[in-house]
Amino acid sequence: MIDDKVLNSILYMSKLKVSGEEKENFRKQIEEILSYFKVLTSVDTENVESAAGEGVSIEDLRVDEIKDSFPLAIIKTFAADFQDGYFPVPRILGDGSGGEYK
Amino acid sequence: MKYEVVIGCEVHVQLLTKTKAFCSCENRFGGIPNTRVCPVCLGLPGALPVVNQKMIEDAVLAGLALNCKVAAVTRFDRKNYMYPDLPKGYQISQYDMPVCTGGKLDIETEGGKKSIRIIRLHMEEDAGKNLHLEDGSGLSYVDFNRCGTPLLEIVSEPDMRSPLEAVSYVQGIREIMKYLGISDCNMEEGSLRCDANINLWIYEDDKRYETPISEVKNMNSFKAMRNALKYEIKRQLAEWQEKHLSLMNTGKVTRGYNDKTGETVVQREKEEEADYRYFPEPDLKPIVITKNLVAETGRRVGELPAAKRKRFVSQYGLRKGSASVLAASKALSDYFEAAAKGYGEPVKIASWIITEVGGYLNTEGLTIEEFSLPPENITRLMEIVDSGIISSKIAKKVFARMAGSGESPDTIVKKLKLNQITDRDKLEEFVAVVMKENPQSVADFRKGKDHAIKFLMGRIMMLSKGRANPQVSAAILKEKLNNG
Amino acid sequence: MDQIAGKSLTELKRLLDRGEVSALEIIKAFKEQYESDRKKPAPLNGYIEFFNDAEELAVKADEARKAGTSGILEGLPIAVKDNILISSRKATCGSAILQGFTSPYSSTVVERLMNEGIIPVGRTNMDEFAMGSTCEYSVYGPSKNPANREYVTGGSSGGSAAVVASGQAPCALGSETGGSVRLPASFCGTYGFKPTYGSLSRYGLVAFGSSMDQIGVISGDPDDIALVISVASGFDSNDLTSEDVDFSALFPLKRMRLKGKKIAIPEELSGEGIDKEVGIVLERFASWLRSEGACPETVSMPLLKTTVAMYYIIAPAEASSNLARYDGVRYGLRDITGNNLEDLYVRTRTEGFGDEVKRRIFLGNYVLSAGYYDAYYKKAMQVRYLLKKELNRVLKEYEYILSPTSPVPPFKLGTKIDNPLSMYLTDICTIFANLALLPAVSIPAGTTSKGLPVGMQLTGRMFDEKGILRAAKTWFLKESRGEV
């Protein structure tokens, strides 16, 4: 049901690795869960909306007024790494508009 | 070989709201890195987005100006992908319920006016910025100041048939956004960014072949855009002749333009295309846009730059150049029209506003919206010049004082005594005329009747309409009488 | 002075208000209870951290009481689940990936309670990111059931239920996405309440399934729950999904006249699939309701059979996106042993997340990905819409829905940990309230032959927190009088 191609592509999206011996167990568990989801197919959803709930009017949204941001000292209290005011990451190229993971 | 160029554009425009799209951090370009961030725009655990009212209003305004239909209910969705400048691992964007759909923008082409259809306009948040220093550390550095800046994405149909048309289209978008005051559309700073989808329709053996679409990115100026698209046309033609690849079997490629080499290079092939797993943003409710708001906003749009430009030429006889400058901003064009009202020579007013007002704002670093001088004062100043009371050179002085103090031109002319004639030659002329016209009084004075000088002074004042400087005139008169 | 530990928040408040006990004595008593349990051979492991400075804060609270500047909860202790943020405190969601994270801000709920003087005394154990039904999926190891330490507490708020049931805290905050407060409350023999979605702000509650997440309260006395809700509820400008409700008059709860009240017992949650001993407790609870004059009736709601499937599509979908922010870039675990960005992501996340979280992230990305979206995510959202309609229809005719909180009594540690699907099925009775946003309370209604607690659940109409809590109070009063 879940072939290697699908498994690997979803793991890639998830940014997770499942190593060799765990892989089969992982696949089995996922397949079991997915097949349980079939219970939904018995429900007729023809022309049913997937309503996102009630809407909110513009007046109830946030007024465009500036509030204080974090002082740099606060960022240092929770940052995993903070160098000269920046969050460092392994060198990357491009603007990151998706998918450039070479 | 017969072929046609097909171009569609995705334009991103950063809005000039005071705060970010989903938090109250200040929305401003540049600054010390990571000083305009909070739990929301840093993607801390537990933080939630809160929609900026002004972003929705601006989106509706922009949509109406582009002749779009505004949705009664609009919704945000999550676009999922991970990258260091995207702190939540998803971008809040819009997918199947964008705020506006189905608009158009008219552009001028060699063949006359042409309508470019707009598929949709939607709102989303900008990402942070990745800084690449050549510091040998093997690291990139992330600054989240820009993260959460509200963006409008405007997607056109592939209606453009040349790089020139594409540039005109983006210029048209820029003109309107600037005119509405919702973005400064600075391509260098990235507040306007354009990606173009381009391919060729090649006609061979009575058949039409479509070359693979390139999505061209990194075009940071109109010149770059023109060059990048011209390069793509050449490249695609060559590729077609060499490989006969078509859209059917190759799909879409993302290419980046390099301004230094003038070439585009592959960034991403089709099979690497990301699956963004869009789904409705559960942290935000759908937003209801009332008919009332749409109607009200529609009234705010009013006449757009292109139409205004034409009208300024036909109604006021302005030159195209002046008309363009004035029509580029709503506030400026309103100012001009108010000043030109009831004044016979709008061309003069226009040039005064462009040079003098424009210069003043430039030096003071003000915008026309911040300029408090009533336009009627400009009109009045022109009238004073026309009536010969002051020269246009003096008028510039009056304007400088008026712009700073807000006094009326009449008050300033009076206070600075700018209306008095002190010019010796001019006054000598008056004296000569009066002496010639009143020989009797001249004779009386010379006989020793001192009071005759009073009568002659009175005549000088009448002749100069009261503007002759009395002291200087009297001195000249005495001199001439005594020298007679 | 009777023993302090074991008393409810309401009782302690009464003693404090009368000056019969100090905040310091109270905090000390609970701390003592916690520390003595830690020395036992199999500690309950309810707290991840008991705050060192809790006694200092108690001294300040006593001073505030003397000075007359105290809030209505001044000096009262509360335990807080490890996914509800408190400024300057650690928060890890029971996960390795958040090791080292100290929150720079407080959740709205905690802030509102602290503004009234409450003292958070410690962080409680939980299933990692609230994903689990047993509190076994924690990086700190499982919590144990105070009724029998070989048994699970239920989850995910297992730590919160364990500390309340064992007298280590009078009251605790938990969180729900699919029953994570009610289930452990039921397994540990306490009351557990989940408000209507939107009654409490989610700001500062670490997100799991945003469209269902809600902070809940666990205590031995429904009045404690009413007290906490009355202070913490209402619209929060930091959470656009919070509602403008006013529960300020919720506390103290009055007894309810149950006479004539129609109560629906879903056929799908009362017959087949329900453990025999749980069924017996349900029958006893129903007869009590009848003895009070209420009218419980069995009603068929077929969609309740599909809630587990729906939930385990929607919640993981949202979770896969909500957990994308744990990338090693800004906070928490950061594995930089690799040499590129992909390594940073994959190593940090593979190391930092436990198996169940990985399964759910995978499931979520699967059901949202191109090609599967319609069959899973979209389908589930459509059925969810139908479920809401069905439940609201039933709740028009009936005042409450009664069912067991769990289809099974507490089970032994380790029995379901390797069988995710059977674990998921434990949630069958609780999930519908989350999917349909309804308020629900788990009531300690009896025990099995082995002396293990069994909870019954009352679900109410949207925002009828008052109704179900008063009904719970009525049971509480009967139980404390020892009536049959």
Side-chain angles (χ1 to χ4, degrees), chain C residues 277-294:
Chain C
E277 291 204 85
V278 173
I280 292 167
V281 179
L282 172 63
E283 189 33 55
R284 275 217 305 268
F285 195 82
S287 14
W288 168 71
L289 286 171
R290 265 182 232 109
S291 71
E292 292 281 319

Side-chain angles (χ1 to χ4, degrees), chain B residues 39 42-48 50-51 78 80 82-84 87-90 144 275 277-280 282-285, chain C residues 85 104-105 202-205 210 237-241 243 321-322 324-326 330-331 341 345 365 368-370 373:
Chain B
L42 272 183
L44 292 195
L48 298 170
V50 186
V51 182
R78 290 190 185 176
N80 294 286
M82 286 174 70
Y83 210 63
K88 299 187 295 292
Y90 57 85
F144 292 103
D275 178 351
R277 292 153 282 143
Y278 281 99
F279 72 100
D283 288 333
L284 297 169
K285 294 179 183 174
Chain C
L85 303 181
Y105 73 105
R202 291 185 296 120
Y203 186 67
L205 163 66
S210 311
S237 59
N238 286 318
D239 176 4
L240 285 184
T241 63
E243 297 288 343
S321 172
N322 284 330
R325 66 188 60 192
Y326 306 104
R330 283 146 298 125
Y331 48 79
L341 181 68
Y345 285 164
N365 280 322
L368 286 175
S369 62
Y373 182 92

Side-chain angles (χ1 to χ4, degrees), chain B residues 116-174:
Chain B
I116 308 297
R117 290 168 300 158
I118 289 166
I119 301 173
R120 57 186 273 150
L121 176 152
H122 76 245
M123 301 171 281
E124 60 186 29
E125 55 178 343
D126 209 343
K129 260 185 177 163
N130 303 319
L131 188 76
H132 316 290
L133 298 174
E134 299 300 330
D135 63 354
S137 64
L139 298 173
S140 291
Y141 300 90
V142 194
D143 169 12
F144 292 103
N145 278 349
R146 191 180 72 176
C147 189
T149 295
L151 292 176
L152 298 182
E153 180 176 323
I154 303 159
V155 185
S156 82
E157 293 280 2
D159 283 350
M160 288 147 277
R161 291 291 171 269
S162 71
L164 217 60
E165 286 187 15
V167 169
S168 301
Y169 167 76
V170 179
Q171 279 173 338
I173 298 266
R174 178 170 177 265

Side-chain angles (χ1 to χ4, degrees), chain A residues 13-15 50-72 75 78 81-102, chain B residues 17-26 33-39 44 50-53 56 81-83 85 130-134 138-142 144 217 267-268 272 275-277 285-288 293:
Chain A
M13 281 177 204
S14 309
K15 300 286 170 244
S50 53
E54 273 171 54
V56 55
S57 74
I58 288 181
E59 297 82 64
D60 295 331
L61 301 177
R62 177 172 56 84
V63 176
D64 189 23
E65 278 166 13
I66 300 166
K67 283 189 191 155
D68 283 349
S69 299
F70 274 149
L72 288 170
I75 298 180
F78 62 79
D81 193 0
F82 199 56
Q83 293 179 17
D84 305 321
Y86 290 96
F87 293 90
V89 290
R91 194 170 166 77
I92 43 172
L93 298 164
D95 67 348
S97 39
E100 292 154 25
Y101 310 116
K102 284 192 174 164
Chain B
T17 52
K18 289 198 203 103
T19 66
K20 294 185 178 182
F22 300 108
C23 66
S24 302
C25 285
E26 187 179 5
N34 293 306
T35 52
R36 291 194 300 277
V37 294
C38 72
L44 292 195
V50 186
V51 182
N52 185 345
Q53 220 171 49
I56 312 281
Y81 69 93
M82 286 174 70
Y83 210 63
D85 57 12
N130 303 319
L131 188 76
H132 316 290
L133 298 174
E134 299 300 330
L139 298 173
S140 291
Y141 300 90
V142 194
F144 292 103
K217 293 172 176 282
Q267 284 185 337
R268 197 160 66 222
E272 294 169 61
D275 178 351
Y276 291 122
R277 292 153 282 143
K285 294 179 183 174
I287 293 156
V288 178
L293 180 91

Side-chain angles (χ1 to χ4, degrees), chain C residues 8-9 164 170-172 189-193 217-225 444:
Chain C
S8 71
L9 204 64
V164 170
C171 180
T190 68
Y191 290 85
F193 175 69
V217 190
I218 291 174
S219 172
D221 182 344
D223 255 324
D224 288 6
I225 294 167

Side-chain angles (χ1 to χ4, degrees), chain C residues 30-92:
Chain C
F30 285 104
K31 191 178 180 183
E32 163 59 28
Q33 192 75 8
Y34 159 66
E35 283 180 341
S36 72
D37 181 70
R38 264 177 80 191
K39 288 173 201 138
K40 289 183 182 163
L44 294 175
N45 198 24
Y47 284 110
I48 293 166
E49 179 190 4
F50 197 100
F51 299 137
N52 282 328
D53 57 351
E55 284 153 292
E56 274 168 54
L57 296 172
V59 171
K60 281 192 188 138
D62 285 328
E63 282 164 9
R65 281 197 176 255
K66 272 194 201 116
T69 57
S70 56
I72 61 170
L73 302 172
E74 197 72 45
L76 289 166
I78 195 162
V80 179
K81 190 177 180 180
D82 193 31
N83 62 350
I84 301 169
L85 303 181
I86 310 172
S87 182
S88 309
R89 303 279 191 198
K90 288 176 186 161
T92 69

